[in-house]
Amino acid sequence: MAWIWLEAALPLGIIAGMLCVMGNAQYYIHKAYHGRPKHIGNDMWDVAMERRDKRLLENFSASSSN
């Protein structure tokens, strides 16, 4: 009677383990594709700043090559 909790704990452990595996797989696939970890909470301001930074770097590299 003392081992009945194991009947419920084992499937819950398997489910929790698979959730961890899926989350880590998603993280590493995103990191491999984009070259950096995913930015959590990326709002309109962050997107605008990334575009601005990209444009500034392109302009800087174009002017330095001349």
Side-chain angles (χ1 to χ4, degrees):
M1 201 63 155
W3 294 96
I4 291 178
W5 63 271
L6 189 60
E7 271 187 62
L10 188 60
L12 288 175
I14 292 170
I15 292 169
M18 289 296 110
L19 285 173
C20 291
V21 167
M22 288 186 295
N24 283 325
Q26 187 179 27
Y27 170 79
Y28 285 111
I29 289 170
H30 182 88
K31 188 176 177 186
Y33 184 76
H34 294 288
R36 60 185 171 149
K38 185 175 182 181
H39 185 147
I40 304 298
N42 211 12
D43 59 359
M44 295 287 288
W45 177 261
D46 294 325
V47 172
M49 291 297 104
E50 286 180 6
R51 286 183 187 150
R52 181 200 63 142
D53 293 345
K54 184 177 179 183
R55 189 176 64 244
L56 287 173
L57 287 173
E58 287 173 355
N59 290 342
F60 179 74
S61 64
S63 66
S64 64
S65 65
N66 289 335

